Amino acid sequence: MRIAYVTAHYPPDFTSGATLQVERLARRAAQLGHDVEVLSGAITMGLADGELRTETIDGVVVHWIGTASRVEQGDDGNWDNPLAAAAAERWLREFEPDVVHVHTLQTLGVGVVDVAADAGRRVVVTMHDLWWWCSRLFLVDTDLQPCPLVTDVNTCACAVTSPWRAERAARLTTALDRVEQILTPSTVLRDVVIANGLDPERVAVDSNDIAIEVRPIVGSRVPADRVRFLYLGGDSALKGAGVVQAAARRLDGLAGWTLSAYGLAPSDPAPHQVRVAPAFRPEELTEVLASHDVLLIPSIARESFSIAAREALAAGLPVVTSDCLGPEEVVRDGVNGLVVPTGDAETLADAMRSLIDDPTLLAHLRHGVGATPIEIRGTSEHVEALLDRYRREERVRTAHTPNVAFVVGADGAIARYRVHHPSEALALHGASTRIVHYLDPGLAEIAEGMDVVVLQRVPATAHVLEVIERWRTAGTHVVFDVDDLIVDPDLADTIPGIRRLAPTDLEHYVDGLHRYRTTLEHCDGAIVPTPGLADSIGRLTGLPVAVAANGIGLVELRLAAAARARRQLRDRVTVAYFSGSDSHQPDLDLITPALAEVLRERPQVDVLVVGPVTPEATLDEFGDRVTRRPFQQWYQLYDQLAAVDVSLAPLVLPSDFNEAKSAIKWLEAAAVGIPTVASASGPFSRAIDDGRTGVLCDRTEDWSPALLALVDDPAGRRRIGAAAQRAAELHHGPHVTADRWTSAIGDLAARRPSGRTSTWTHRSPDERAMSAPPLDAYGIDAADHVRTRRRRRWFSRR
């Protein structure tokens, strides 16, 4: 097989984890008898820009091209290098490879991918970093602050200009669409690239191999009267040099520890326990690991893999790491190591202190290292797997993103999650979307050019039913969307909060349930946010039902990022309950005894209740420590959340109605990095990894100890909040929402019923309007928001 490797850097010109990986792959493939050549940038060899030099290194032909002038990350030449593209075109024409495996492209530019695709070559890309979305590679800004993982959210102050960033993103996205296979070294990096818009079907995990064999040394480790910490990140700020120094200073005066920092520049002041040493030779690694107890990985950069974490665990050392992605693939918090928020020196110091103060914790983590051995991949195994992949024809194409017309039946927060978010998300993937109110006189026209019409909580009217039949007769796919179990009037008496309604209000509410059900019975199926709701509606109607979970939109993610940046440290601890309607009064009442106990036992705690619910009189004894605020506009929510320490999400259970509710309260708090304590309903249990991204309460009596534990553990609150934020970004962001809606709509289209007759007794009054009521604006600046622009264009066409 003829294999062409493309890499921005290659040893000995430049050495790093990624360059050594490419070198090992190329060398081993050549040893197996394959014809292997490498095109690499050269930054230390004295070559002029675009100048070529060819040599053979360990059986591999390496074509060097001068790129030293294109190292600057904000330079167009870093991502658009016509000289490298021309050289690659000539090389590929002469070499005629079977596959072109691209590893890194900074300085070589994306044109290399284009010329390979133009030549009809199979192109595979391994992403060792996030260059495809971030010119700085690691999603860290110039102030060494981690950026949101969904890059559409980022304002990118470090980019040249907004148009520059947009041009770069469009150019790279177009090239990436021509790639046959996309590989990542870890599952978590796969999650990141999918969260940034890549089709999950096109992305596979291809773990890095590790060349150095590390021998387990757990059995021979000598117990010591101190914990010997180890840091291997050198003097790199991105590797957390400043963080580890700041953490060490916080431990000054505490006995029972040492820190060996290899490659770190000496700092003043520094505790006497810190020993700075020069970098060691690779063959000395086993000896270095054997003389330490815990490896520290305080990286600020988003790591794609982390060889160091694997080497340490293989040697028997627990690892304390920041939540910088790659190490977490093998480090399990509380099992074989500890995970702390990125860039948080205080929390890192707290983790180190816990190991110093509690020898049983270190023993527990050592046991976890031995009980959960990690798999280390050898180079030969890696190359064989890649060769097998090269031989497979996997020309995967991204699924068609459907064009969707949304009809709003219930505006406000419900429409944001079930209309504006999917509309925004689908538009990011190139779809056309339209949004109108169900009373719009031109309702029938919205289906033109659309693949599907989604009726979001639309109550039946004579006109709505007439239009639905017209659409369905014309072949348009029509589905109902609902986020609560409000299509079964028989359940009205069981809904918590509804029992509090006055007779007239209750009659109006039940009439609405009948009308929602009538609309549903006229559709081809339904989309809902939770599996429990899907099961209930499927059993109730016999219609096909698909799940598209609620996500969080770009606008909210931007608001949340801004709110996080404005957060201030406080001496007091605020726990808060945010409610959108008074139907949640029973939920607040459920946890009132726990709130009273926490207020009584912890004088530093305050309780905030927001929305149309009222704290019970039993909390009056605490005076102004319990405050109430009226309902807040949705765009104010994230600043409100950023001002609290714990968010509450109680639900009265068991309740079929509450079991159908999604975990929005967790999602909103998570976006700001605030931990949530929630009732263990099905949706909350699926959203929350208990103890890691939130806290679940199975019973009413669980609430008080759960809240007390968080109140007493500031570092734990930060750790859970950071983990929740990442989970929200990676698994509930707009690109994931687009994938979920595309999948749900495709699933319903495949199961579309034919010849179905309904036995439901319809209720559809003749409700009409001269014009559609205005819909709530969605966007930080509504005039600039894509949905508003689309809606304006739509009405201008009419």
Side-chain angles (χ1 to χ4, degrees), residues 288-556:
V288 169
L289 293 174
S291 59
H292 293 86
D293 301 299
V294 179
L295 175 67
L296 303 180
I297 302 179
S299 269
I300 295 174
R302 313 291 190 170
E303 302 279 359
S304 65
F305 186 68
S306 185
I307 290 175
R310 287 161 172 81
E311 290 172 336
L313 292 172
L317 272 70
V319 176
V320 178
T321 179
S322 63
D323 57 353
C324 58
L325 302 180
E328 296 168 274
E329 194 87 342
V330 289
V331 178
R332 303 289 181 263
D333 185 52
V335 178
N336 59 3
L338 300 174
V339 180
V340 300
T342 296
D344 191 333
E346 181 180 353
T347 307
L348 176 60
D350 286 342
M352 295 169 68
R353 184 182 292 107
S354 68
L355 292 166
I356 298 166
D357 292 343
D358 183 3
T360 63
L361 175 58
L362 180 55
H364 168 74
L365 297 181
R366 283 176 175 166
H367 174 76
V369 173
T372 57
I374 63 167
E375 293 184 7
I376 290 184
R377 198 181 199 188
T379 302
S380 295
E381 177 188 359
H382 190 182
V383 170
E384 290 294 344
L386 280 174
L387 291 172
D388 182 61
R389 187 178 294 277
Y390 296 157
R391 297 183 188 103
R392 296 199 303 263
E393 294 284 340
E394 295 186 5
R395 301 192 179 276
V396 179
R397 293 292 177 260
T398 302
H400 166 67
T401 305
N403 299 323
V404 183
F406 292 91
V407 181
V408 175
D411 208 355
I414 301 170
R416 277 193 298 114
Y417 278 94
R418 302 307 295 173
V419 174
H420 299 307
H421 289 177
S423 175
E424 173 188 70
L426 293 165
L428 285 174
H429 286 217
S432 295
T433 61
R434 295 170 182 159
I435 303 174
V436 298
H437 194 275
Y438 78 98
L439 291 177
D440 191 298
L443 179 65
E445 302 170 24
I446 68 162
E448 182 181 350
M450 298 289 106
D451 296 302
V452 62
V453 176
V454 175
L455 303 174
Q456 176 263 338
R457 273 204 186 209
V458 172
T461 71
H463 183 234
V464 165
L465 298 188
E466 175 189 331
V467 170
I468 291 174
E469 291 308 310
R470 191 185 311 174
W471 288 335
R472 294 183 68 201
T473 300
T476 300
H477 192 197
V478 183
V479 300
F480 191 75
D481 177 83
V482 64
D483 64 335
D484 272 333
L485 192 52
I486 55 166
V487 292
D488 188 359
D490 292 339
L491 289 179
D493 292 339
T494 70
I495 299 174
I498 300 305
R499 306 165 195 165
R500 307 163 61 95
L501 294 176
T504 302
D505 293 334
L506 179 59
E507 181 181 354
H508 178 74
Y509 183 86
V510 173
D511 179 67
L513 303 185
H514 281 274
R515 292 175 64 187
Y516 291 138
R517 175 67 175 276
T518 298
T519 304
L520 169 61
E521 292 284 346
H522 278 73
C523 292
D524 297 312
I527 296 180
V528 298
T530 66
L533 187 53
D535 292 341
S536 295
I537 292 179
R539 289 194 304 268
L540 188 66
T541 66
L543 284 166
V545 186
V547 176
N550 282 329
I552 192 158
L554 277 182
V555 173
E556 285 86 347

Side-chain angles (χ1 to χ4, degrees), residues 29 56 67 87 102 113 134 219 221 267-268 280 309 335 354 445 476 559 563 577 725:
T56 300
T67 54
V102 176
V113 171
C134 171
R221 191 178 301 281
S267 67
D268 188 30
F280 54 83
V335 178
S354 68
E445 302 170 24
T476 300
L559 289 170
Y577 179 64
Q725 179 194 330

Side-chain angles (χ1 to χ4, degrees), residues 714-784:
R717 294 198 302 269
R718 289 196 295 274
R719 185 187 71 249
I720 292 174
Q725 179 194 330
R726 193 175 81 184
E729 289 179 351
L730 290 188
H731 304 299
H732 303 276
H735 290 289
V736 175
T737 294
D739 291 336
R740 286 171 175 164
W741 276 79
T742 297
S743 176
I745 289 170
D747 176 38
L748 290 179
R751 295 191 287 146
R752 189 174 178 180
S754 60
R756 176 180 180 271
T757 58
S758 172
T759 59
W760 174 254
T761 301
H762 297 170
R763 187 174 298 185
S764 53
D766 189 9
E767 182 184 1
R768 296 179 184 270
M770 294 296 295
S771 62
L775 295 172
D776 288 350
Y778 174 66
I780 296 175
D781 181 348
D784 289 336

Side-chain angles (χ1 to χ4, degrees), residues 233-257:
D235 206 37
S236 167
L238 288 174
K239 292 293 185 181
V243 178
V244 77
Q245 288 171 324
R249 285 194 290 271
R250 289 178 178 272
L251 300 178
D252 196 6
L254 179 67
W257 68 281

Side-chain angles (χ1 to χ4, degrees), residues 193 411 493 544 639 708:
V193 302
D411 208 355
D493 292 339
D639 276 327
L708 288 170

